[in-house]
Amino acid sequence: MGSRASTLLREEEIEEIKKETGFSHSQITRLYSRFTSLDKGENGTLSREDFQRIPELAINPLGDRIINAFFPEGEDQVNFRGFMRTLAHFRPIEDNEKNKNPTASEPLNSRSNKLLFAFRLYDLDRDDKISRDELLQVLRMMVGVNISDEQLGSIADRTIQEADTNGDSCISFQEFIKVLEKVDVEQKMSIRFLH
Amino acid sequence: TSEFNLTDVLFFCRKAMENVVDDDVTKRFSPQKLDSWNLLTRNNHNFCHISLRLKVVWVLGLLLRYGVLLPLRWLRSCLSDKVHLMGCHICVRSLSAIITYHNRQNKPQNDGICVANHTTPIDGIILANDRCYSLVGQLHGGLLGMIQRAMVTSSPHIWFERAEVKDRHLVAKRLIDHVADKTKHPVLIFPEGTCINNTSVMMFRKSSFELGCTIYPVAIKYDPRFGDAFWNSSKFGLVRYLLRTMSSWAIVCSVWYLPPMNRKEGEDAVQFANRVKSVIAAKGGFVDLKWDGGLKRARVKEAFKEEQQELYSRLVVGVSQGADNAASDSAKES
């Protein structure tokens, strides 16, 4: 019972998260409730196993990659702040935010940050380049055993060819942004959070 | 042909995030979240102080639940028996029934089946006046069905749907399960299957006797001088019967509780049934008949005639001395 009390969310924390992520008060408490229900060990952090326990997530071909995105480099526990920070990328962009003060720091759910999140799903080693191998890895995760190595290889080659403008056989973040120029990233990378 | 696009990951990505925030499965394994609090702390995850008024209401609710509802529910089963008996007393008074119970030490216990000879639907009330029983029967529609369903809310009875009645294994299983539960009342069965006019006991259906449970035989004898308890269902319906009963002098009857019986080694169900039947007949002073009470409405089976023919044939052909004697005896009788 004592450990329960220490993991209750304090008002100051809620305010800090609100500033950092842009979620509303009720959204934060709701997501905190979700966080604690996932936290089976009741120690205030989530491990990779806690995420894997969600069946629909476990069967998602990219499930492991997405789960990975929650955890900072080299760590295998994520606290509530980190949880919220990652989820913040998927907050829908509201109209009034588009005309915000340009000197304020960029919100986590800006188009550019959403694209960076997507880019990092491919770029596992964080060298700011999607190599042919990295692309193949993601492709293999998505198709499973249903497509042969050669076919997959040619798909990867074609994709890199179309995107690569500086001829280094890799896709940099700038090239990535260019490819996704016409895509409605805001819609594709936003989920509805109940108020 | 490559349909792959760098944006394809976004689909899986969004789906995954949606599932992190909320999924259909994991929330089923913890208590349901309510929109407004139901005043039970077991359902309130964020147990925090909202207002004094709410706290007072919660305390009152606590007292009500632990002080009133919980003890009432505990006593429910023994209260329901008392209410049941009281109801029976009232019914019996309304019929001016004077019942004498003999050998009360043999009264049926919770671990068996009570069988009795059948004269009228009132038999059930006469017996239930002394202790509670569980009834068995087909579930009807209409008013009777409603009454049957209502009875089940206070104590367990065994009602069957029409289709199930034909399935003998199902019937047997339910009876065995009921009898095995020592907290449930004994099952009351009238093995004759129909009302007889209280001068004889007719064939007992063997199904109750196949189950291997203890049988508590009961004999019910009505005194015909004060009123005719027999329900002649082919002549008049239930309402007219009740009218006749309530306008007679009285219903005077004797109920004899007989010692419990179990099937003996090497005895089959039919022999056991006949043994119980003769015990009841002897006590009540009835004629013990082998004929089926169902003959009230149905014709006798051809098989019995064939049996007579076979016996006579043996007599004519002369197969064995024993068969001869048996055949000549039955030939003389018929």
Side-chain angles (χ1 to χ4, degrees):
Chain A
M1 277 302 141
S3 63
R4 253 260 151 128
S6 66
T7 56
L8 272 174
L9 209 52
R10 298 189 313 276
E11 276 303 316
E12 312 95 67
E13 276 189 83
I14 298 181
E15 282 305 310
E16 282 171 35
I17 295 174
K18 206 168 170 180
K19 269 203 215 77
E20 191 181 2
T21 61
F23 283 115
S24 72
H25 194 284
S26 56
Q27 286 172 332
I28 294 172
T29 43
R30 193 184 287 265
L31 287 166
Y32 185 71
S33 169
R34 173 67 172 170
F35 180 85
T36 46
S37 69
L38 291 173
D39 179 16
K40 288 285 185 287
E42 287 191 9
N43 53 2
T45 59
L46 295 178
S47 65
R48 286 189 171 77
E49 285 76 45
D50 289 323
F51 284 98
Q52 297 278 0
R53 228 175 269 120
I54 304 172
E56 286 153 86
L57 185 58
I59 64 169
N60 189 316
L62 293 182
D64 286 333
R65 275 295 162 93
I66 311 286
I67 292 171
N68 217 40
F70 280 89
F71 294 85
E73 279 289 329
E75 294 194 21
D76 35 58
Q77 297 289 328
V78 56
N79 60 14
F80 184 59
R81 294 289 287 270
F83 182 74
M84 291 305 281
R85 219 173 283 133
T86 312
L87 283 178
H89 287 93
F90 288 81
R91 212 163 61 80
I93 299 175
E94 279 127 54
D95 283 319
N96 56 7
E97 282 187 56
K98 287 195 181 137
N99 306 323
K100 237 183 165 159
N101 185 349
T103 60
S105 62
E106 202 175 3
L108 285 166
N109 66 336
S110 68
R111 185 192 161 87
S112 164
N113 275 324
K114 284 187 199 280
L115 283 166
L116 187 60
F117 189 92
F119 184 79
R120 293 229 166 103
L121 286 175
Y122 289 101
D123 182 22
L124 208 56
D125 59 7
R126 297 286 170 94
D127 64 355
D128 290 327
K129 283 203 293 269
I130 303 177
S131 67
R132 185 179 184 270
D133 273 335
E134 285 173 335
L135 184 56
L136 267 175
Q137 257 185 43
V138 174
L139 277 169
R140 184 47 79 189
M141 283 174 89
M142 289 199 285
V143 304
V145 300
N146 298 301
I147 297 183
S148 68
D149 279 332
E150 299 94 49
Q151 229 180 336
L152 219 59
S154 61
I155 292 173
D157 289 329
R158 204 178 337 232
T159 311
I160 293 181
Q161 213 173 39
E162 285 169 2
D164 188 19
T165 49
N166 67 354
D168 61 352
S169 303
C170 287
I171 305 177
S172 70
F173 186 47
Q174 296 310 317
E175 289 162 352
F176 187 75
I177 294 177
K178 190 88 186 19
V179 172
L180 271 66
E181 194 169 47
K182 300 249 172 37
V183 173
D184 184 2
V185 171
E186 285 88 348
Q187 191 263 329
K188 279 194 154 53
M189 284 196 76
S190 297
I191 65 179
R192 264 189 38 229
F193 290 93
L194 295 165
H195 283 284
Chain B
T1 56
S2 151
E3 295 288 348
F4 171 70
N5 209 304
L6 282 171
T7 56
D8 286 353
V9 285
L10 300 184
F11 165 72
F12 289 113
C13 184
R14 180 165 76 174
K15 194 104 194 4
M17 282 302 169
E18 280 171 353
N19 288 328
V20 169
V21 171
D22 188 18
D23 76 293
D24 262 334
V25 181
T26 58
K27 63 186 180 192
R28 312 295 170 196
F29 303 130
S30 58
Q32 189 183 15
K33 301 254 192 306
L34 298 167
D35 288 332
S36 61
W37 190 33
N38 61 353
L39 294 175
L40 295 173
T41 52
R42 61 197 74 155
N43 270 55
N44 191 347
H45 295 273
N46 317 313
F47 187 28
C48 58
H49 180 86
I50 299 173
S51 75
L52 182 64
R53 191 166 64 172
L54 191 62
K55 217 164 202 134
V56 169
V57 173
W58 173 72
V59 168
L60 285 174
L62 197 75
L63 291 170
L64 185 71
R65 281 185 293 120
Y66 282 94
V68 179
L69 291 179
L70 182 62
L72 259 183
R73 281 166 188 156
W74 224 322
L75 294 171
R76 193 177 175 273
S77 54
C78 77
L79 270 181
S80 107
D81 278 4
K82 290 205 173 18
V83 167
H84 193 136
L85 281 173
M86 208 188 313
C88 264
H89 292 325
I90 295 173
C91 281
V92 159
R93 293 278 175 279
S94 73
L95 294 168
S96 302
I98 301 166
I99 313 170
T100 318
Y101 296 98
H102 302 272
N103 304 331
R104 268 205 153 113
Q105 70 275 13
N106 291 329
K107 194 148 69 157
Q109 306 290 317
N110 276 2
D111 60 349
I113 299 180
C114 174
V115 304
N117 59 310
H118 201 27
T119 309
T120 149
I122 296 174
D123 283 338
I125 303 178
I126 305 262
L127 289 177
N129 195 40
D130 203 27
R131 73 146 295 158
C132 294
Y133 293 93
S134 286
L135 303 177
V136 185
Q138 194 183 313
L139 201 56
H140 291 87
L143 181 66
L144 191 53
M146 227 163 67
I147 296 173
Q148 284 175 313
R149 273 176 260 268
M151 287 169 76
V152 173
T153 59
S154 71
S155 68
H157 296 279
I158 306 175
W159 302 124
F160 293 102
E161 301 290 339
R162 196 167 223 130
E164 286 172 1
V165 174
K166 298 214 170 65
D167 185 349
R168 299 190 47 195
H169 291 294
L170 197 68
V171 171
K173 176 141 200 337
R174 276 184 76 173
L175 280 169
I176 293 175
D177 288 343
H178 185 109
V179 170
D181 186 347
K182 299 274 182 291
T183 63
K184 293 191 177 158
H185 303 308
V187 183
L188 179 59
I189 293 185
F190 297 106
E192 285 164 308
T194 187
C195 295
I196 315 291
N197 75 348
N198 210 235
T199 57
S200 65
V201 182
M202 299 183 97
M203 185 183 92
F204 274 7
R205 305 258 146 107
K206 69 174 180 350
S207 44
S208 329
F209 300 91
E210 293 177 311
L211 303 172
C213 313
T214 310
I215 301 284
Y216 293 92
V218 177
I220 311 176
K221 176 80 183 148
Y222 292 89
D223 192 334
R225 294 172 294 175
F226 294 95
D228 183 13
F230 168 53
W231 180 28
N232 194 349
S233 53
S234 39
K235 270 216 142 141
F236 39 86
L238 191 60
V239 179
R240 259 193 81 187
Y241 167 73
L242 285 174
L243 233 106
R244 288 164 60 106
T245 313
M246 288 185 184
S247 55
S248 43
W249 296 113
I251 302 285
V252 179
C253 60
S254 290
V255 174
W256 285 276
Y257 292 116
L258 297 159
M261 298 168 77
N262 280 297
R263 197 164 68 169
K264 289 206 186 104
E265 283 288 326
E267 195 181 36
D268 73 6
V270 173
Q271 290 166 330
F272 181 38
N274 286 337
R275 192 159 62 89
V276 174
K277 178 157 65 77
S278 37
V279 165
I280 293 179
K283 198 67 183 187
F286 303 116
V287 177
D288 188 356
L289 295 175
K290 289 200 167 28
W291 294 99
D292 183 355
L295 292 170
K296 197 201 279 186
R297 293 202 175 79
R299 301 198 66 172
V300 71
K301 282 197 258 201
E302 276 294 306
F304 290 113
K305 191 199 279 194
E306 286 158 15
E307 206 181 298
Q308 297 282 308
Q309 290 166 330
E310 203 213 330
L311 286 168
Y312 176 69
S313 310
R314 281 205 224 148
L315 178 77
V316 167
V317 171
V319 174
S320 76
Q321 200 60 32
D324 275 353
N325 293 340
S328 57
D329 283 345
S330 58
K332 281 183 204 143
E333 271 176 30
S334 56

